[in-house]
Amino acid sequence: QVQLVESGGGTVQPGGSLRLSCAATGVVFRIYRTGWFRQAPGKQRELVAVLSSDGNTNYTDSVKGRFTISRDDAKNTVSLQMDSLKPEDTGVYYCNAHFGGPYSPYDYWGQGTQVSVSS
């Protein structure tokens, strides 16, 4: 059974930092494309950062230079280091693991972790 579990969310002041982690059972992250998505209140879920199986990264423009996605193959975890946080970064952050084409059934999500940036 596949399970992705996020941790590390919380409330932080603008300019602060948080580190999100995603631990997996039933999948091996290093062969999947992994990513972090977020959903703000009243908005659609959006891609924040993605890490390919061969180590390439990509970020949405609004977080470039502030967020870093990484993978620990020994621990089978994926992390998102978030620095210089802004109020517009507020939302529920979801971990995703995907293998194959766009319609592949091998697409898994965590339950989400809340990030709130507020003074």
Side-chain angles (χ1 to χ4, degrees):
Q1 184 177 357
V2 175
Q3 189 174 21
L4 275 60
V5 179
E6 302 101 334
S7 61
T11 300
V12 64
Q13 292 186 340
S17 297
L18 283 174
R19 185 177 181 87
L20 307 182
S21 291
C22 178
T25 55
V27 297
V28 178
F29 273 154
R30 61 180 172 80
I31 67 171
Y32 279 70
R33 186 195 74 207
T34 53
W36 288 92
F37 291 70
R38 67 185 177 194
Q39 187 165 18
K43 294 188 177 181
Q44 289 188 333
R45 190 176 298 187
E46 64 169 347
L47 175 66
V48 175
V50 64
L51 173 63
S52 69
S53 58
D54 58 1
N56 292 318
T57 59
N58 201 8
Y59 301 89
T60 192
D61 286 345
S62 63
V63 308
K64 285 181 180 177
R66 300 189 297 122
F67 290 13
T68 304
I69 187 171
S70 61
R71 190 179 70 223
D72 187 326
D73 292 341
K75 296 180 179 179
N76 201 32
T77 58
V78 174
S79 297
L80 185 68
Q81 177 67 41
M82 305 186 296
D83 298 318
S84 302
L85 282 160
K86 304 176 180 180
E88 51 263 43
D89 295 318
T90 293
V92 179
Y93 282 69
Y94 298 89
C95 175
N96 172 258
H98 185 91
F99 182 84
Y103 303 106
S104 170
Y106 303 107
D107 186 75
Y108 306 105
W109 294 87
Q111 82 288 350
T113 185
Q114 177 70 47
V115 171
S116 298
V117 185
S118 173
S119 55

